[in-house]
């Protein structure tokens, strides 16, 4: 049964130099027509594939808060009308410090949004400028305080590391600022150099040099230590929460469970089928309004792929993959399918097992993708 929904708002005021998310400049875009098309998708999808209760709703982007107060209200009221949100549902919206006014905060609070996720990335002005963010540290701090004063008691911030111009002191200062603001949840990722970004162009032309892998590993180690010392529990490779404030929505992904994906460029996972929506907003609107639907492509996930995903995603969690859940879900034991791979990884010291779970060791967490790749080995039958 589907218990989660993701809604994508693919518009941004400015484009960050490292970003490869599906997004376009907001200026000149048909924002209201987009919200209309999106709500049409929501209404039609839940009619065909209903859920009796949603536990989480996540509005991400792009920058959802680029929408005006009126459009935010229209979007949220529409979502409430068509989606069966549980009374205690976690309802998150991603917010950019630059464009969150008091009026928007009031609208979000009134409609029932109860979790804000701020794209802060750093509290160092030089770093913010180097990565193309529009806000200043002062603006981020004042917006977060405004949100707290409005009554939001579950706030997350994104903080990046391995960024250009970012010294160890600068990274520590950003983390200290987060703690000082009494934030409940932190997502912290290293910069990944993606093709088709401004940064990739600059690295290719020699205009930009990124921090070394050693710097990245040092900063990650520092992050793990600092967060734990400050009372934030690591519960996923890149996510830390005060007790009771883990992201229920993101756990849906890491638990390899179903979710709707609405909006241009959104991905969904519904009844064993992965859906990918048309990414260009004008094409998406045209397709929705002419009755052709939102999808660019859909694909059925084979049993073997489901097993691989169960491992890739589950191993991101600190608690790891549940051995019992794997058995219940696939009717075969984890050991039968992945016994040799697990033994091999254990010998290397990258994974460990308890009676209940398979999980990454600390060394495995540093290697991440390299460990996950091992579960793609096709020398055994997963059918
Ligand atoms: S605000 Fe977010 S989605 Fe928009 S360009 Fe920056 S990183 Fe990308």
């Amino acid at each position: 049964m589907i218990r989660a929904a993701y809604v994508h708002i693919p518009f941004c005021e400015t484009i960050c130099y490292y970003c490869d998310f599906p997004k376009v400049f907001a200026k000149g875009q048909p924002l209201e027509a987009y919200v209309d098309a999106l709500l049409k998708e929501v209404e039609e999808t839940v009619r065909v594939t209903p859920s009796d209760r949603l536990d989480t709703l996540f509005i991400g982007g792009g920058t959802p808060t680029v929408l005006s107060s009126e459009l935010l209200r229209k979007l949220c009221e529409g979502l409430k009308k068509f989606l069966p949100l549980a009374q205690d549902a976690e309802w998150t919206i991603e917010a950019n410090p630059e464009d969150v006014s008091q009026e928007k905060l009031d609208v979000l609070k009134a409609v029932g949004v109860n979790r804000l996720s701020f794209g802060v990335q750093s509290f160092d002005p030089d770093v913010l400028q180097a990565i193309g963010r529009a806000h200043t540290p002062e603006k981020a701090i004042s917006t977060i305080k405004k949100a707290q004063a409005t009554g939001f008691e579950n706030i997350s911030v994104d903080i990046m590391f391995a960024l250009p111009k970012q010294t160890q002191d600068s990274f520590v200062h950003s983390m200290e600022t987060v703690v000082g603001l009494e934030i409940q949840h932190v997502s912290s990722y290293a910069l990944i150099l993606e093709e088709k970004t401004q940064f990739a162009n600059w690295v290719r032309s020699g205009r930009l040099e990124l921090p070394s892998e050693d710097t990245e590993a040092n900063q990650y180690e520092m992050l793990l230590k600092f967060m734990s010392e400050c009372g934030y529990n690591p519960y996923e490779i890149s996510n830390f929460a005060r007790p009771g404030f883990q992201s229920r929505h993101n756990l849906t992904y890491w638990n390899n469970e179903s979710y709707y994906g609405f909006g241009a460029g959104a991905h969904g996972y519904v009844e064993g089928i992965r859906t990918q929506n048309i990414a260009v907003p004008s094409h998406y609107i045209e397709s929705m309004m002419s009755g052709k639907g939102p999808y660019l492509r859909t694909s059925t996930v084979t049993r073997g792929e489901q097993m691989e995903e169960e491992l890739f995603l589950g191993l991101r969690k600190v608690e790891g993959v549940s051995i019992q859940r794997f058995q219940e879900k696939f009717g075969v034991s984890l050991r039968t399918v992945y016994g040799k791979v697990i033994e091999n990884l254990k010998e290397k010291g990258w994974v460990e097992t308890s009676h209940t779970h398979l999980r990454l060791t600390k060394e495995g967490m540093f290697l991440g993708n390299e460990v996950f790749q091992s579960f793609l080995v096709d020398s055994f039958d997963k059918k």
Side-chain angles (χ1 to χ4, degrees):
M1 183 51 80
I2 305 160
R3 295 275 177 245
Y6 174 78
V7 172
H8 193 68
I9 306 296
F11 308 110
C12 294
E13 282 292 354
T14 55
I15 303 296
C16 307
Y17 303 149
Y18 56 87
C19 176
D20 80 332
F21 297 131
K23 82 292 167 185
V24 293
F25 281 112
K27 197 158 183 231
Q29 289 290 328
L31 302 181
E32 179 143 25
Y34 180 78
V35 169
D36 290 340
L38 196 150
L39 291 175
K40 187 167 189 280
E41 184 195 354
V42 174
E43 183 181 12
E44 290 176 0
T45 304
V46 296
R47 198 186 307 133
V48 176
T49 319
S51 161
D52 59 0
R53 189 195 79 229
L54 285 187
D55 293 329
T56 74
L57 170 58
F58 193 107
I59 306 176
T63 313
T65 48
V66 88
L67 300 180
S68 65
S69 306
E70 295 72 32
L71 268 187
L72 276 175
R73 187 189 300 279
K74 180 174 181 176
L75 170 69
C76 293
E77 294 292 1
L79 293 172
K80 277 201 318 194
K81 181 172 165 199
F82 299 125
L83 296 175
L85 277 183
Q87 279 257 307
D88 66 342
E90 176 190 276
W91 185 353
T92 305
I93 188 164
E94 283 183 343
N96 187 339
E98 189 60 22
D99 49 38
V100 179
S101 62
Q102 184 61 54
E103 192 184 359
K104 290 182 190 178
L105 287 170
D106 291 338
V107 167
L108 296 173
K109 185 78 185 144
V111 294
V113 171
N114 52 26
R115 185 171 183 272
L116 298 178
S117 175
F118 282 104
V120 173
Q121 316 311 351
S122 171
F123 286 98
D124 179 332
D126 293 340
V127 172
L128 287 172
Q129 204 179 28
I131 62 175
R133 299 293 300 197
H135 65 266
T136 60
E138 293 75 25
K139 181 73 185 172
I141 291 169
S142 67
T143 305
I144 289 168
K145 286 186 172 168
K146 222 187 277 178
Q148 289 168 328
T150 309
F152 286 98
E153 294 171 346
N154 189 353
I155 293 180
S156 177
V157 297
D158 294 349
I159 295 287
M160 294 177 73
F161 58 98
L163 294 172
K165 297 242 168 127
Q166 190 179 41
T167 60
Q168 305 290 55
D169 284 352
S170 154
F171 184 43
V172 170
H173 167 69
S174 289
M175 292 190 291
E176 283 172 349
T177 308
V178 168
V179 175
L181 284 166
E182 299 184 11
I183 301 290
Q184 286 75 24
H185 184 278
V186 180
S187 296
S188 192
Y189 295 90
L191 173 75
I192 296 174
L193 188 66
E194 303 281 5
E195 287 293 316
K196 298 186 191 156
T197 60
Q198 190 66 273
F199 268 180
N201 287 337
W202 288 344
V203 167
R204 271 193 294 269
S205 66
R207 183 177 153 186
L208 176 72
E209 197 179 334
L210 293 178
S212 67
E213 281 185 9
D214 282 350
T215 304
E216 179 181 328
N218 286 342
Q219 290 184 335
Y220 184 56
E221 180 134 35
M222 195 191 296
L223 173 75
L224 292 177
K225 190 164 174 286
F226 187 90
M227 284 292 142
S228 294
E229 283 172 3
C230 294
Y232 290 82
N233 300 322
Y235 68 103
E236 193 267 353
I237 288 181
S238 304
N239 283 272
F240 307 83
R242 295 273 196 213
F245 288 98
Q246 296 183 350
S247 165
R248 288 163 63 196
H249 183 82
N250 286 347
L251 280 167
T252 304
Y253 303 144
W254 302 320
N255 287 330
N256 199 18
E257 290 164 352
S258 300
Y259 57 93
Y260 296 114
F262 300 120
H267 292 248
Y269 185 34
V270 175
E271 295 184 340
I273 295 175
R274 294 253 173 228
T275 61
Q276 183 184 349
N277 283 4
I278 297 163
V280 178
S282 56
H283 298 181
Y284 166 82
I285 295 168
E286 199 278 322
S287 188
M288 275 314 304
M289 291 315 190
S290 62
K292 288 188 243 146
Y295 301 135
L296 178 66
R297 62 177 67 91
T298 61
S299 59
T300 303
V301 183
T302 65
R303 188 161 172 268
E305 287 164 345
Q306 283 178 29
M307 288 181 185
E308 287 168 359
E309 288 174 358
E310 190 81 9
L311 271 290
F312 293 173
L313 296 164
L315 282 173
R316 294 194 63 87
K317 293 180 295 174
V318 169
E319 71 170 14
V321 173
S322 162
I323 293 168
Q324 186 184 342
R325 195 182 128 93
F326 188 95
Q327 169 84 45
E328 287 167 2
K329 206 164 172 182
F330 299 108
V332 58
S333 75
L334 187 60
R335 184 151 293 279
T336 304
V337 183
Y338 283 114
K340 281 194 197 136
V341 179
I342 292 171
E343 283 316 311
N344 187 19
L345 292 174
K346 274 169 102 170
E347 272 169 35
K348 290 179 173 163
W350 295 353
V351 299
E352 59 194 12
T353 46
S354 66
H355 289 311
T356 57
H357 287 80
L358 167 73
R359 61 175 159 261
L360 296 179
T361 59
K362 193 169 175 203
E363 197 182 343
M365 284 173 84
F366 279 89
L367 294 166
N369 286 339
E370 206 171 318
V371 183
F372 302 150
Q373 298 291 330
S374 312
F375 294 96
L376 278 176
V377 174
D378 51 11
S379 58
F380 45 85
D381 181 20
K382 298 191 289 304
K383 302 279 185 262

